[in-house]
């Protein structure tokens, strides 16, 4: 499971220190975004790739798509200090660094400005995988993946600029066998991320972070640990807002893969994500023009697992 998704994104926000309230006032608030763009990916394991695999040494074909989609969120703020909030949707803070996932959650803001955010992510794990991903004779068929993901964020710890992001997910692959052999892809993932805001000026901020992820799978060839470093730059020029994020990580798997001469898989991964927002677009109140571009690359010692993906899009966002 990958908790970091750059498949869709639509808006950015300068991640300023938490304010005295979660919303401008008690009641409903939210944001609606509509985007259109283009995406491309290369992966032998992506179910959008060709269902016919000729060789385990074959380079994955490019899958190109045009996309159009709505994004957004709605929240209800309440409490004597507007210190509590329930919400559903995608958050601006996540989208700013290229992370997009539907969340259902609850926030509580302490007087010290520390914030606790508890959420359930129903779509992170759900999807499809190839039931027979390594089959070079027959047409590959899809099988369902089910699971649950939960997240706890602790922002502005004790009123500081330090934050923690913790997540857990479980994964179950239906019909997880091929040629009478179980592929042992079921498992669970634990993730911990620490980040700190570093203000440079009133309009510039850096946010370095480090993430540790442990995936425990039924088979050692699918179990791994991943460490990722990330640096985000947030910059504003009047109505113009920019967010640039770059990351580098490495993943080491626990056991040998019998399909590839008993070699143990490892990967080096890097990504870039640039987002732009022009506020009060054409003078329209609470409306922004938004654009973004992202690129991900994973280079494995086993070429079959190499992946590349990119996305670019523009759209409009309205806040209420």
């Amino acid at each position: 499971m990958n908790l970091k998704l750059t498949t869709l994104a639509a808006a950015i926000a300068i991640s300023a220190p938490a304010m005295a309230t979660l919303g401008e006032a008690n009641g409903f608030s939210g944001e609606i975004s509509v985007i259109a763009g283009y995406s491309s990916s290369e992966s032998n394991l992506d179910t959008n790739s060709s269902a016919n695999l000729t060789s385990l040494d074959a380079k994955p074909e490019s899958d190109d798509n045009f996309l159009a989609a709505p994004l957004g969120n709605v929240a209800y703020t309440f409490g004597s200090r507007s210190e509590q909030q329930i919400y559903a949707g995608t958050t601006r803070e996540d989208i700013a660094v290229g992370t997009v996932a539907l969340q259902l959650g609850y926030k509580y803001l302490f007087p010290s400005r520390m914030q606790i955010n508890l959420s359930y992510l129903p779509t992170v794990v759900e999807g499809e995988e190839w039931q027979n991903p390594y089959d070079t004779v027959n047409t590959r068929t899809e099988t369902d993946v089910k699971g649950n993901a939960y997240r706890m964020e602790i922002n502005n710890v004790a009123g500081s600029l330090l934050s923690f992001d913790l997540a857990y997910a479980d994964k179950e692959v239906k019909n997880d066998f091929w040629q009478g052999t179980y592929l042992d892809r079921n498992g669970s993932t634990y993730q911990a991320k620490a980040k700190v805001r570093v203000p440079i000026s009133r309009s510039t901020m850096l946010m370095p972070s480090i993430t540790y992820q442990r995936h425990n799978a039924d088979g050692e060839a699918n179990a791994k640990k991943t460490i990722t470093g990330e640096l985000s730059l947030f910059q504003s020029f009047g109505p113009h807002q920019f967010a640039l994020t770059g990351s580098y990580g490495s993943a080491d798997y626990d056991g040998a893969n019998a399909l590839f001469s008993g070699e143990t898989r490892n990967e080096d991964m890097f990504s870039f994500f640039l987002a732009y927002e022009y506020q009060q677009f054409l003078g329209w109140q609470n409306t922004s023009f938004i654009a973004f571009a992202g690129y991900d690359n994973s280079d494995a010692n086993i070429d079959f697992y190499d992946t590349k993906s990119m996305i670019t899009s523009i759209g409009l966002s309205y806040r209420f």
Side-chain angles (χ1 to χ4, degrees), residues 154-297:
I154 308 173
N155 297 312
N156 304 322
V157 176
S160 71
L161 301 180
L162 176 67
S163 299
F164 295 104
D165 190 346
L166 309 174
Y168 166 82
D170 56 66
K171 170 184 175 180
E172 181 180 352
V173 180
K174 185 179 180 181
N175 301 323
D176 189 31
F177 58 87
W178 171 53
Q179 294 184 342
T181 302
Y182 281 94
L183 298 181
D184 293 330
R185 290 175 289 182
N186 297 337
S188 57
T189 299
Y190 303 84
Q191 180 171 293
K193 179 177 183 179
K195 59 185 178 182
V196 61
R197 296 191 308 276
V198 183
I200 305 300
S201 68
R202 292 176 61 89
S203 60
T204 306
M205 184 182 70
L206 292 175
M207 188 169 67
S209 68
I210 186 168
T211 302
Y212 174 80
Q213 185 183 96
R214 174 62 187 175
H215 178 64
N216 296 317
D218 290 348
E220 289 189 349
N222 296 312
K224 64 177 179 177
K225 59 179 180 294
T226 305
I227 297 178
T228 304
E230 186 175 89
L231 179 63
S232 297
L233 169 67
F234 301 89
Q235 181 69 55
S236 63
F237 300 99
H240 305 282
Q241 314 277 334
F242 296 88
L244 174 63
T245 297
S247 69
Y248 172 80
S250 62
D252 295 310
Y253 286 73
D254 290 1
N257 193 319
L259 288 171
F260 297 95
S261 303
E263 194 168 2
T264 300
R265 178 179 168 190
N266 58 72
E267 297 172 331
D268 292 318
M269 304 160 292
F270 66 88
S271 67
F272 297 96
F273 186 81
L274 173 65
Y276 167 73
E277 177 182 12
Y278 181 17
Q279 298 177 335
Q280 306 298 319
F281 182 62
L282 298 180
W284 297 340
Q285 188 73 18
N286 300 329
T287 301
S288 297
F289 171 80
I290 50 182
F292 66 90
Y295 175 78
D296 284 286
N297 184 89

